[in-house]
Short mmCIF file of all heavy atoms in Angstrom, two decimals:
data_model
loop_
_atom_site.label_atom_id
_atom_site.label_comp_id
_atom_site.label_asym_id
_atom_site.label_seq_id
_atom_site.Cartn_x
_atom_site.Cartn_y
_atom_site.Cartn_z
N THR A 211 163.95 110.54 36.49
CA THR A 211 163.27 110.45 37.78
C THR A 211 162.18 111.50 37.88
O THR A 211 162.41 112.68 37.61
CB THR A 211 164.27 110.65 38.93
OG1 THR A 211 165.27 109.63 38.86
CG2 THR A 211 163.56 110.56 40.28
N GLY A 212 160.96 111.06 38.23
CA GLY A 212 159.86 111.99 38.45
C GLY A 212 159.19 112.48 37.19
O GLY A 212 158.29 113.32 37.25
N THR A 213 159.58 111.98 36.06
CA THR A 213 158.98 112.40 34.79
C THR A 213 159.27 111.36 33.72
O THR A 213 160.13 110.50 33.91
CB THR A 213 159.52 113.78 34.35
OG1 THR A 213 158.82 114.21 33.17
CG2 THR A 213 161.00 113.70 34.03
N SER A 214 158.57 111.46 32.62
CA SER A 214 158.81 110.56 31.50
C SER A 214 160.19 110.83 30.92
O SER A 214 160.64 111.98 30.85
CB SER A 214 157.73 110.76 30.43
OG SER A 214 157.96 109.89 29.33
N ALA A 215 160.89 109.77 30.54
CA ALA A 215 162.25 109.91 30.01
C ALA A 215 162.23 110.33 28.54
O ALA A 215 161.27 110.09 27.82
CB ALA A 215 163.02 108.61 30.18
N THR A 216 163.32 110.98 28.13
CA THR A 216 163.53 111.29 26.71
C THR A 216 164.44 110.21 26.17
O THR A 216 165.65 110.19 26.46
CB THR A 216 164.16 112.68 26.55
OG1 THR A 216 163.29 113.65 27.11
CG2 THR A 216 164.36 112.99 25.07
N CYS A 217 163.87 109.33 25.41
CA CYS A 217 164.61 108.14 24.96
C CYS A 217 165.32 108.32 23.63
O CYS A 217 165.77 107.35 23.03
CB CYS A 217 163.64 106.95 24.86
SG CYS A 217 162.83 106.52 26.42
N GLU A 218 165.44 109.56 23.14
CA GLU A 218 166.08 109.78 21.84
C GLU A 218 167.55 109.36 21.87
O GLU A 218 168.25 109.58 22.86
CB GLU A 218 165.98 111.25 21.44
CG GLU A 218 164.55 111.71 21.20
CD GLU A 218 164.50 113.18 20.82
OE1 GLU A 218 165.55 113.84 20.89
OE2 GLU A 218 163.42 113.66 20.46
N ILE A 219 168.01 108.82 20.78
CA ILE A 219 169.41 108.46 20.61
C ILE A 219 169.90 109.06 19.30
O ILE A 219 169.40 108.74 18.23
CB ILE A 219 169.61 106.93 20.56
CG1 ILE A 219 169.29 106.31 21.92
CG2 ILE A 219 171.03 106.59 20.17
CD1 ILE A 219 169.49 104.82 21.97
N ASP A 220 170.87 109.96 19.41
CA ASP A 220 171.49 110.53 18.21
C ASP A 220 172.75 109.73 17.97
O ASP A 220 173.78 109.91 18.65
CB ASP A 220 171.80 112.01 18.43
CG ASP A 220 172.28 112.67 17.15
OD1 ASP A 220 172.55 111.95 16.17
OD2 ASP A 220 172.38 113.91 17.13
N GLU A 221 172.67 108.81 17.01
CA GLU A 221 173.81 107.94 16.75
C GLU A 221 175.03 108.72 16.29
O GLU A 221 176.16 108.25 16.44
CB GLU A 221 173.42 106.88 15.71
CG GLU A 221 172.34 105.92 16.21
CD GLU A 221 172.02 104.85 15.20
OE1 GLU A 221 171.18 105.11 14.32
OE2 GLU A 221 172.59 103.76 15.29
N CYS A 222 174.80 109.94 15.79
CA CYS A 222 175.92 110.74 15.32
C CYS A 222 176.74 111.30 16.48
O CYS A 222 177.86 111.78 16.28
CB CYS A 222 175.42 111.89 14.45
SG CYS A 222 174.69 111.34 12.88
N ALA A 223 176.14 111.26 17.71
CA ALA A 223 176.84 111.80 18.88
C ALA A 223 177.73 110.76 19.54
O ALA A 223 178.34 111.03 20.58
CB ALA A 223 175.83 112.34 19.87
N ALA A 224 177.80 109.58 18.96
CA ALA A 224 178.59 108.51 19.55
C ALA A 224 180.07 108.84 19.52
O ALA A 224 180.55 109.64 18.71
CB ALA A 224 178.31 107.20 18.81
N THR A 225 180.81 108.23 20.43
CA THR A 225 182.26 108.35 20.48
C THR A 225 182.87 106.96 20.36
O THR A 225 182.52 106.08 21.14
CB THR A 225 182.72 109.01 21.79
OG1 THR A 225 182.10 110.29 21.91
CG2 THR A 225 184.23 109.19 21.83
N PRO A 226 183.76 106.74 19.39
CA PRO A 226 184.23 107.71 18.38
C PRO A 226 183.15 108.00 17.36
O PRO A 226 182.17 107.27 17.24
CB PRO A 226 185.42 106.99 17.75
CG PRO A 226 185.09 105.53 17.92
CD PRO A 226 184.38 105.42 19.24
N ALA A 227 183.35 109.10 16.61
CA ALA A 227 182.38 109.50 15.59
C ALA A 227 182.19 108.37 14.58
O ALA A 227 183.16 107.74 14.17
CB ALA A 227 182.85 110.77 14.90
N PRO A 228 180.93 108.10 14.21
CA PRO A 228 180.68 106.97 13.32
C PRO A 228 181.11 107.21 11.87
O PRO A 228 181.28 106.27 11.10
CB PRO A 228 179.16 106.78 13.41
CG PRO A 228 178.63 108.13 13.75
CD PRO A 228 179.67 108.76 14.64
N CYS A 229 181.25 108.48 11.47
CA CYS A 229 181.66 108.79 10.10
C CYS A 229 183.15 109.19 10.07
O CYS A 229 183.72 109.62 11.08
CB CYS A 229 180.82 109.94 9.54
SG CYS A 229 179.05 109.56 9.44
N GLY A 230 183.76 109.08 8.95
CA GLY A 230 185.17 109.44 8.80
C GLY A 230 185.36 110.94 8.70
O GLY A 230 184.40 111.72 8.64
N GLY A 231 186.65 111.35 8.67
CA GLY A 231 186.96 112.75 8.49
C GLY A 231 186.47 113.27 7.16
O GLY A 231 186.46 112.54 6.16
N GLY A 232 186.03 114.53 7.14
CA GLY A 232 185.52 115.10 5.91
C GLY A 232 184.14 114.62 5.55
O GLY A 232 183.70 114.77 4.40
N GLN A 233 183.42 114.07 6.51
CA GLN A 233 182.07 113.57 6.28
C GLN A 233 181.11 114.19 7.29
O GLN A 233 181.49 114.55 8.40
CB GLN A 233 182.02 112.04 6.40
CG GLN A 233 182.93 111.31 5.41
CD GLN A 233 182.84 109.81 5.53
OE1 GLN A 233 181.82 109.28 5.93
NE2 GLN A 233 183.93 109.12 5.18
N THR A 234 179.87 114.32 6.88
CA THR A 234 178.81 114.86 7.74
C THR A 234 177.86 113.74 8.12
O THR A 234 177.39 113.00 7.26
CB THR A 234 178.04 115.98 7.04
OG1 THR A 234 178.95 117.04 6.71
CG2 THR A 234 176.93 116.53 7.93
N CYS A 235 177.57 113.64 9.45
CA CYS A 235 176.70 112.57 9.95
C CYS A 235 175.30 113.12 10.21
O CYS A 235 175.13 114.24 10.70
CB CYS A 235 177.28 111.99 11.24
SG CYS A 235 176.32 110.61 11.92
N ASN A 236 174.29 112.33 9.89
CA ASN A 236 172.90 112.71 10.14
C ASN A 236 172.11 111.49 10.60
O ASN A 236 172.18 110.43 9.98
CB ASN A 236 172.25 113.29 8.88
CG ASN A 236 170.78 113.63 9.11
OD1 ASN A 236 170.46 114.31 10.06
ND2 ASN A 236 169.92 113.15 8.23
N ASP A 237 171.37 111.65 11.78
CA ASP A 237 170.51 110.58 12.28
C ASP A 237 169.07 111.04 12.12
O ASP A 237 168.59 111.87 12.89
CB ASP A 237 170.81 110.29 13.76
CG ASP A 237 170.06 109.07 14.27
OD1 ASP A 237 169.21 108.53 13.53
OD2 ASP A 237 170.33 108.64 15.41
N PRO A 238 168.33 110.54 11.16
CA PRO A 238 166.98 111.05 10.87
C PRO A 238 165.92 110.58 11.86
O PRO A 238 164.82 111.10 11.86
CB PRO A 238 166.69 110.49 9.48
CG PRO A 238 167.45 109.19 9.44
CD PRO A 238 168.71 109.44 10.24
N ASN A 239 166.22 109.61 12.72
CA ASN A 239 165.18 109.02 13.57
C ASN A 239 165.69 108.87 14.99
O ASN A 239 165.86 107.78 15.50
CB ASN A 239 164.75 107.67 13.00
CG ASN A 239 163.45 107.18 13.61
OD1 ASN A 239 162.77 107.92 14.32
ND2 ASN A 239 163.12 105.93 13.38
N LYS A 240 165.88 110.02 15.66
CA LYS A 240 166.44 109.98 17.02
C LYS A 240 165.43 109.48 18.05
O LYS A 240 165.80 109.13 19.16
CB LYS A 240 166.90 111.39 17.42
CG LYS A 240 167.96 111.98 16.52
CD LYS A 240 168.35 113.36 17.02
CE LYS A 240 169.35 114.04 16.11
NZ LYS A 240 168.76 114.38 14.81
N ALA A 241 164.13 109.51 17.73
CA ALA A 241 163.10 109.19 18.72
C ALA A 241 163.02 107.71 19.03
O ALA A 241 162.35 107.31 19.96
CB ALA A 241 161.74 109.68 18.23
N LYS A 242 163.67 106.88 18.29
CA LYS A 242 163.60 105.44 18.50
C LYS A 242 164.94 104.91 18.99
O LYS A 242 165.97 105.58 18.93
CB LYS A 242 163.20 104.72 17.21
CG LYS A 242 161.78 105.05 16.75
CD LYS A 242 161.43 104.24 15.53
CE LYS A 242 160.01 104.53 15.06
NZ LYS A 242 159.64 103.75 13.87
N THR A 243 164.90 103.69 19.48
CA THR A 243 166.13 103.04 19.86
C THR A 243 167.05 102.92 18.65
O THR A 243 166.60 102.87 17.52
CB THR A 243 165.80 101.63 20.41
OG1 THR A 243 164.87 101.75 21.48
CG2 THR A 243 167.04 100.93 20.91
N SER A 244 168.35 102.90 18.94
CA SER A 244 169.33 102.87 17.85
C SER A 244 168.97 101.80 16.82
O SER A 244 168.81 100.64 17.12
CB SER A 244 170.72 102.58 18.43
OG SER A 244 171.68 102.47 17.41
N GLN A 245 168.87 102.25 15.56
CA GLN A 245 168.50 101.34 14.48
C GLN A 245 169.54 101.34 13.36
O GLN A 245 169.30 100.81 12.29
CB GLN A 245 167.13 101.74 13.91
CG GLN A 245 166.00 101.57 14.92
CD GLN A 245 164.65 101.96 14.34
OE1 GLN A 245 164.58 102.77 13.43
NE2 GLN A 245 163.59 101.38 14.86
N HIS A 246 170.69 101.97 13.62
CA HIS A 246 171.76 102.02 12.61
C HIS A 246 171.24 102.62 11.31
O HIS A 246 171.49 102.09 10.22
CB HIS A 246 172.34 100.62 12.36
CG HIS A 246 172.89 99.96 13.58
ND1 HIS A 246 174.10 100.32 14.14
CD2 HIS A 246 172.37 99.00 14.38
CE1 HIS A 246 174.32 99.60 15.21
NE2 HIS A 246 173.28 98.78 15.39
N ASP A 247 170.48 103.72 11.48
CA ASP A 247 169.93 104.36 10.28
C ASP A 247 170.59 105.72 10.02
O ASP A 247 170.09 106.51 9.23
CB ASP A 247 168.41 104.53 10.42
CG ASP A 247 168.00 105.33 11.64
OD1 ASP A 247 168.89 105.59 12.48
OD2 ASP A 247 166.81 105.69 11.74
N PHE A 248 171.71 106.02 10.70
CA PHE A 248 172.41 107.27 10.44
C PHE A 248 173.10 107.21 9.07
O PHE A 248 173.35 106.13 8.52
CB PHE A 248 173.43 107.56 11.55
CG PHE A 248 174.60 106.60 11.58
CD1 PHE A 248 175.78 106.89 10.90
CD2 PHE A 248 174.52 105.42 12.30
CE1 PHE A 248 176.85 106.01 10.92
CE2 PHE A 248 175.58 104.54 12.33
CZ PHE A 248 176.76 104.82 11.64
N THR A 249 173.38 108.38 8.51
CA THR A 249 174.05 108.45 7.21
C THR A 249 175.32 109.28 7.31
O THR A 249 175.40 110.23 8.09
CB THR A 249 173.13 109.08 6.14
OG1 THR A 249 172.77 110.40 6.55
CG2 THR A 249 171.89 108.24 5.94
N CYS A 250 176.31 108.90 6.52
CA CYS A 250 177.55 109.65 6.40
C CYS A 250 177.62 110.20 4.97
O CYS A 250 177.51 109.42 4.00
CB CYS A 250 178.76 108.77 6.69
SG CYS A 250 178.82 108.16 8.39
N THR A 251 177.78 111.50 4.85
CA THR A 251 177.82 112.15 3.54
C THR A 251 179.17 112.84 3.36
O THR A 251 179.62 113.58 4.25
CB THR A 251 176.70 113.20 3.42
OG1 THR A 251 175.44 112.55 3.64
CG2 THR A 251 176.70 113.83 2.03
N CYS A 252 179.79 112.57 2.22
CA CYS A 252 181.10 113.17 1.94
C CYS A 252 180.94 114.68 1.75
O CYS A 252 180.06 115.14 1.01
CB CYS A 252 181.70 112.55 0.69
SG CYS A 252 182.06 110.78 0.86
N ASP A 253 181.80 115.45 2.42
CA ASP A 253 181.75 116.90 2.27
C ASP A 253 182.21 117.31 0.87
O ASP A 253 181.69 118.28 0.30
CB ASP A 253 182.65 117.57 3.32
CG ASP A 253 182.14 117.32 4.74
OD1 ASP A 253 180.92 117.10 4.89
OD2 ASP A 253 182.95 117.35 5.68
N ALA A 254 183.18 116.59 0.33
CA ALA A 254 183.73 116.95 -0.98
C ALA A 254 182.79 116.60 -2.12
O ALA A 254 182.85 117.22 -3.19
CB ALA A 254 185.08 116.26 -1.19
N ASP A 255 181.92 115.62 -1.87
CA ASP A 255 180.98 115.20 -2.91
C ASP A 255 179.73 114.69 -2.21
O ASP A 255 179.69 113.55 -1.75
CB ASP A 255 181.59 114.13 -3.80
CG ASP A 255 180.70 113.81 -5.01
OD1 ASP A 255 179.53 114.26 -5.02
OD2 ASP A 255 181.19 113.13 -5.92
N THR A 256 178.74 115.56 -2.08
CA THR A 256 177.54 115.22 -1.29
C THR A 256 176.70 114.14 -1.93
O THR A 256 175.72 113.70 -1.34
CB THR A 256 176.68 116.47 -1.07
OG1 THR A 256 176.36 117.05 -2.34
CG2 THR A 256 177.42 117.49 -0.22
N THR A 257 177.05 113.73 -3.13
CA THR A 257 176.32 112.62 -3.75
C THR A 257 176.79 111.28 -3.21
O THR A 257 176.16 110.25 -3.44
CB THR A 257 176.48 112.64 -5.28
OG1 THR A 257 177.86 112.45 -5.60
CG2 THR A 257 175.98 113.95 -5.85
N ILE A 258 177.93 111.31 -2.50
CA ILE A 258 178.45 110.06 -1.94
C ILE A 258 177.95 109.95 -0.51
O ILE A 258 178.36 110.73 0.37
CB ILE A 258 179.99 110.03 -1.98
CG1 ILE A 258 180.49 110.20 -3.43
CG2 ILE A 258 180.53 108.73 -1.38
CD1 ILE A 258 181.99 110.32 -3.54
N VAL A 259 177.04 108.98 -0.28
CA VAL A 259 176.39 108.81 1.01
C VAL A 259 176.44 107.34 1.40
O VAL A 259 176.27 106.46 0.55
CB VAL A 259 174.91 109.29 0.96
CG1 VAL A 259 174.26 109.11 2.33
CG2 VAL A 259 174.84 110.75 0.51
N LYS A 260 176.67 107.10 2.70
CA LYS A 260 176.69 105.72 3.20
C LYS A 260 175.79 105.65 4.44
O LYS A 260 175.87 106.51 5.33
CB LYS A 260 178.10 105.29 3.55
CG LYS A 260 178.21 103.90 4.19
CD LYS A 260 177.87 102.79 3.21
CE LYS A 260 177.93 101.41 3.86
NZ LYS A 260 179.26 101.08 4.37
N VAL A 261 174.91 104.61 4.50
CA VAL A 261 174.05 104.40 5.66
C VAL A 261 174.74 103.45 6.63
O VAL A 261 175.29 102.42 6.23
CB VAL A 261 172.69 103.82 5.24
CG1 VAL A 261 171.83 103.53 6.47
CG2 VAL A 261 171.97 104.76 4.30
N ASP A 262 174.70 103.83 7.95
CA ASP A 262 175.23 102.99 9.01
C ASP A 262 176.74 102.73 8.84
O ASP A 262 177.21 101.61 8.99
CB ASP A 262 174.46 101.67 9.09
CG ASP A 262 174.79 100.88 10.35
OD1 ASP A 262 175.22 101.50 11.34
OD2 ASP A 262 174.64 99.64 10.35
N GLY A 263 177.48 103.75 8.53
CA GLY A 263 178.92 103.59 8.44
C GLY A 263 179.56 104.69 7.63
O GLY A 263 178.86 105.44 6.91
N PRO A 264 180.85 104.87 7.74
CA PRO A 264 181.53 105.94 7.01
C PRO A 264 181.49 105.71 5.49
O PRO A 264 181.57 104.59 5.01
CB PRO A 264 182.96 105.88 7.56
CG PRO A 264 183.11 104.48 8.06
CD PRO A 264 181.76 104.08 8.57
N ALA A 265 181.32 106.81 4.78
CA ALA A 265 181.31 106.74 3.31
C ALA A 265 182.75 106.66 2.78
O ALA A 265 183.70 107.07 3.44
CB ALA A 265 180.60 107.95 2.74
N ARG A 266 182.91 106.15 1.58
CA ARG A 266 184.23 106.12 0.91
C ARG A 266 184.31 107.34 0.00
O ARG A 266 183.83 107.32 -1.12
CB ARG A 266 184.41 104.83 0.13
CG ARG A 266 185.81 104.66 -0.45
CD ARG A 266 185.99 103.27 -1.03
NE ARG A 266 187.34 103.09 -1.55
CZ ARG A 266 187.72 103.39 -2.78
NH1 ARG A 266 186.83 103.89 -3.63
NH2 ARG A 266 188.97 103.20 -3.19
N CYS A 267 184.84 108.37 0.58
CA CYS A 267 184.89 109.63 -0.16
C CYS A 267 186.13 109.68 -1.05
O CYS A 267 187.27 109.58 -0.56
CB CYS A 267 184.91 110.81 0.82
SG CYS A 267 183.45 110.86 1.89
N ILE A 268 185.97 109.84 -2.34
CA ILE A 268 187.08 109.91 -3.32
C ILE A 268 187.11 111.32 -3.90
O ILE A 268 186.10 111.84 -4.37
CB ILE A 268 186.88 108.88 -4.44
CG1 ILE A 268 186.91 107.46 -3.85
CG2 ILE A 268 187.96 109.04 -5.50
CD1 ILE A 268 186.61 106.38 -4.86
N LYS A 269 188.29 111.91 -3.86
CA LYS A 269 188.48 113.24 -4.44
C LYS A 269 189.83 113.26 -5.15
O LYS A 269 190.88 113.38 -4.53
CB LYS A 269 188.44 114.32 -3.35
CG LYS A 269 188.69 115.73 -3.87
CD LYS A 269 187.65 116.16 -4.87
CE LYS A 269 187.87 117.60 -5.31
NZ LYS A 269 186.89 118.04 -6.33
N ASP A 270 189.79 113.09 -6.45
CA ASP A 270 191.02 113.15 -7.28
C ASP A 270 191.24 114.60 -7.65
O ASP A 270 190.50 115.17 -8.47
CB ASP A 270 190.87 112.28 -8.52
CG ASP A 270 192.19 112.12 -9.28
OD1 ASP A 270 193.12 112.91 -8.99
OD2 ASP A 270 192.26 111.23 -10.14
N GLU A 271 192.26 115.19 -7.00
CA GLU A 271 192.51 116.61 -7.24
C GLU A 271 193.01 116.89 -8.65
O GLU A 271 193.10 118.06 -9.05
CB GLU A 271 193.51 117.13 -6.21
CG GLU A 271 192.94 117.11 -4.78
CD GLU A 271 193.92 117.68 -3.77
OE1 GLU A 271 194.84 116.95 -3.34
OE2 GLU A 271 193.75 118.86 -3.39
N CYS A 272 193.30 115.86 -9.35
CA CYS A 272 193.73 116.05 -10.74
C CYS A 272 192.56 116.24 -11.69
O CYS A 272 192.75 116.44 -12.91
CB CYS A 272 194.59 114.86 -11.20
SG CYS A 272 196.22 114.79 -10.38
#
Side-chain angles (χ1 to χ4, degrees):
T211 300
T213 185
S214 180
T216 300
C217 300
E218 294 180 352
I219 293 181
D220 188 350
E221 295 183 275
C222 293
T225 302
C229 298
Q233 300 181 28
T234 300
C235 183
N236 177 51
D237 187 352
N239 195 10
K240 300 181 184 67
K242 295 183 179 180
T243 304
S244 177
Q245 295 181 333
H246 302 284
D247 58 350
F248 68 93
T249 59
C250 295
T251 303
C252 296
D253 296 333
D255 187 348
T256 56
T257 63
I258 302 175
V259 180
K260 175 68 182 298
V261 177
D262 191 24
R266 187 171 181 272
C267 300
I268 297 175
K269 178 61 177 178
D270 190 345
E271 294 182 280
C272 290

